[in-house]
Amino acid sequence: MLSASLGIWSFLLVVFGLFLGTIYSVNPIRLRDTAFSTMIIGAGSAIAFFIGYVTPAYIQEMHGSNAGKIIYTYPEITLQVLSIGLIIFMALTIGPLAKDYKDYQGDKKAGVKNIFTIYGVDKGVKIVSILLPITFFMLILLFNSLVDILIFIPLGLLAGFLFYRFKKTELLFVLYFPVIIYCLLRWFQIIHF
C-alpha cells in the first residue's frame, strides 16, 4: 500500500521484488539452490535503488494562483540512472560469489548449492576469477575518460588474478575501497578529466 501511494513505478518495483523474493525462497522453484542465486541479491539491491530513485518529490507552490498546492515531481529515467542500476546488479551478483569460497566446507556439509559446491573448488575459483573483473569494467559506463579506463581495466584484471592466485576476499576489498573512493570523487567532480 505504501509503494502504491508513491506511484505506479514504486508499486511495480515492489511487486517485482516480492516475486523475486518468493522464487528465491519458496519451492518448487527455490532459486536459492542454484549456482547463480546471487542474481536475486543483485536484482533486489537494484530494485531498492530504483524504488528510491523513482519516489516523487513533493513541492509546495509558494506563489501565484497555485500557492499552497502540492505538486508531485517524478525524476527522469536517464541512461545514467539505468547504468547505476546495472552496476549495482552486477556488483551484488558477482561480489558475493567470492565470499562463498571461504564457506565451501560448511556449505558442502549443509547441502548449500553455489558455484563452489556445484562445480568444485578449482572450477569455481576459475569462474569467479573470470567474473570479478566485470564489476570493475562496468564502472566505465559512468566514468569513461582514458584515465578511468586505465584505472578500472587493470584493477579489474588484478582483482581476478588475485582471487585466482590467493583466494582471499580481503585482497578484493583492498582494491574495491580505493575504487569506490575514486568513483565518489569523480561523481562529485572533485576529480574531473
Side-chain angles (χ1 to χ4, degrees), residues 101 104-105 115-127 163 167:
Y101 171 78
Y104 170 72
Q105 293 297 335
I115 293 280
F116 299 101
T117 59
I118 292 171
Y119 297 108
V121 173
D122 292 337
K123 193 169 184 180
V125 167
K126 288 177 187 172
I127 292 168
F163 186 75
K167 301 163 190 71

Side-chain angles (χ1 to χ4, degrees), residues 39-81:
M39 290 178 74
I40 302 298
I41 296 166
S45 301
I47 288 169
F49 164 75
F50 284 121
I51 289 170
Y53 184 81
V54 300
T55 300
Y58 300 92
I59 301 169
Q60 184 174 15
E61 287 285 332
M62 301 303 287
H63 306 287
S65 61
N66 288 331
K69 184 177 178 184
I70 305 242
I71 298 172
Y72 307 104
T73 61
Y74 291 89
E76 182 182 350
I77 303 293
T78 64
L79 189 56
Q80 186 179 50
V81 170

Side-chain angles (χ1 to χ4, degrees), residues 11-23 40 43-44 47 51:
F11 176 74
L12 291 174
L13 286 165
V14 166
V15 168
F16 185 54
L18 290 171
F19 170 74
L20 290 178
T22 302
I23 64 172
I40 302 298
I47 288 169
I51 289 170

Side-chain angles (χ1 to χ4, degrees):
M1 289 175 61
L2 176 61
S3 66
S5 72
L6 296 175
I8 186 67
W9 290 113
S10 296
F11 176 74
L12 291 174
L13 286 165
V14 166
V15 168
F16 185 54
L18 290 171
F19 170 74
L20 290 178
T22 302
I23 64 172
Y24 177 79
S25 299
V26 177
N27 288 323
I29 298 172
R30 194 165 165 81
L31 291 176
R32 181 177 180 190
D33 292 335
T34 64
F36 290 96
S37 63
T38 57
M39 290 178 74
I40 302 298
I41 296 166
S45 301
I47 288 169
F49 164 75
F50 284 121
I51 289 170
Y53 184 81
V54 300
T55 300
Y58 300 92
I59 301 169
Q60 184 174 15
E61 287 285 332
M62 301 303 287
H63 306 287
S65 61
N66 288 331
K69 184 177 178 184
I70 305 242
I71 298 172
Y72 307 104
T73 61
Y74 291 89
E76 182 182 350
I77 303 293
T78 64
L79 189 56
Q80 186 179 50
V81 170
L82 294 174
S83 295
I84 292 169
L86 181 60
I87 290 167
I88 290 169
F89 169 73
M90 293 302 289
L92 294 173
T93 294
I94 295 171
L97 294 174
K99 171 202 74 67
D100 290 340
Y101 171 78
K102 75 178 170 181
D103 299 331
Y104 170 72
Q105 293 297 335
D107 286 348
K108 188 169 180 166
K109 285 180 187 173
V112 173
K113 293 186 179 174
N114 60 39
I115 293 280
F116 299 101
T117 59
I118 292 171
Y119 297 108
V121 173
D122 292 337
K123 193 169 184 180
V125 167
K126 288 177 187 172
I127 292 168
V128 173
S129 297
I130 290 168
L131 293 174
L132 279 171
I134 295 170
T135 60
F136 288 83
F137 300 165
M138 294 293 297
L139 296 170
I140 295 171
L141 292 172
L142 294 177
F143 311 106
N144 46 34
S145 74
L146 180 59
V147 173
D148 299 323
I149 293 168
L150 292 174
I151 290 173
F152 298 142
I153 290 179
L155 288 178
L157 295 172
L158 181 60
F161 170 76
L162 289 175
F163 186 75
Y164 181 76
R165 178 75 172 90
F166 300 105
K167 301 163 190 71
K168 300 234 181 244
T169 54
E170 297 83 9
L171 294 173
L172 300 177
F173 289 112
V174 169
L175 294 176
Y176 282 150
F177 187 71
V179 168
I180 290 169
I181 298 298
Y182 174 78
C183 289
L184 287 171
L185 294 173
R186 290 283 282 126
W187 184 262
F188 291 110
Q189 297 182 357
I190 296 169
I191 297 175
H192 50 87
F193 303 104

